[in-house]
Amino acid sequence: MAFVRIMSRSCALSFARLAGAAAFYLVGRQRKKVLNNLRIAWKDEKSDAELKTIGRRVFENLALTTVDTIRFTSLTKENIGEWVVYDDEFTRVKRILDKGKGLVILASHIGNWELLAAAFGLMGFGGSAVV
C-alpha cells in the first residue's frame, strides 16, 4: 500500500490495470466465476472472446478501485477534478439543499461508489449511507 501511495496517481492506475489483467489469468477459480456469471447475463449476445475481454476488465476495474481507495488520503478539494468527472453537480446539490428540504441521492453499487461519498464529503456535504 505504501508503494501505491508514493507513486503518482497515473502510475498507480497503470500498475492497477496490469495487476488486474495479471490476476484475471492467475486466479483461475475467480476467473471461472466471473465468466460464468457473464455468460448467464449475456446469454448468446456475446462471444466467448467478448466475454473474456469483459471479464478481464472486471478484474482491472477492481484493481483500479482498490488503488484509488488506498490513495484516498491524497484526495483533496483542489484535486478532486482529477479523480471524479463532474460538471456542476456539487452546485446543483447545494442549490437543492439551500431550500431546506433535504435530498436523497440514489447511487448504484457500480465502480468506485466510495469515491462518490468521499467527493461529496470533501465538498462539505454531510450525509448518511443506507445499505
Side-chain angles (χ1 to χ4, degrees):
M1 289 186 346
F3 180 64
V4 168
R5 283 188 185 120
I6 62 171
M7 299 168 85
S8 70
R9 183 164 183 262
S10 62
C11 285
L13 293 176
S14 293
F15 171 75
R17 283 185 190 86
L18 289 172
F24 177 76
Y25 293 104
L26 296 173
V27 187
R29 183 175 170 195
Q30 296 305 319
R31 178 183 62 244
K32 285 180 185 179
K33 285 182 187 179
V34 167
L35 292 175
N36 285 336
N37 287 338
L38 290 171
R39 275 190 196 91
I40 292 167
W42 290 101
K43 297 183 174 52
D44 297 326
E45 295 177 45
K46 301 281 184 190
S47 69
D48 284 345
E50 289 172 309
L51 294 177
K52 189 175 179 181
T53 298
I54 295 167
R56 191 189 78 248
R57 289 183 179 162
V58 167
F59 278 71
E60 290 173 6
N61 188 58
L62 182 58
L64 291 167
T65 298
T66 300
V67 162
D68 270 346
T69 302
I70 291 169
R71 295 176 54 83
F72 267 6
T73 56
S74 303
L75 183 63
T76 66
K77 193 172 182 178
E78 292 73 34
N79 71 7
I80 197 168
E82 298 169 24
W83 292 55
V84 178
V85 177
Y86 65 94
D87 189 21
D88 68 342
E89 285 79 11
F90 297 123
T91 303
R92 189 175 308 141
V93 167
K94 183 175 180 347
R95 190 171 46 244
I96 292 168
L97 290 174
D98 284 347
K99 293 178 181 178
K101 295 184 180 183
L103 174 66
V104 174
I105 298 175
L106 299 175
S108 59
H109 196 284
I110 297 174
N112 194 347
W113 57 272
E114 295 92 344
L115 180 56
L116 177 66
F120 273 94
L122 276 174
M123 298 306 285
F125 298 104
S128 298
V130 178
V131 182

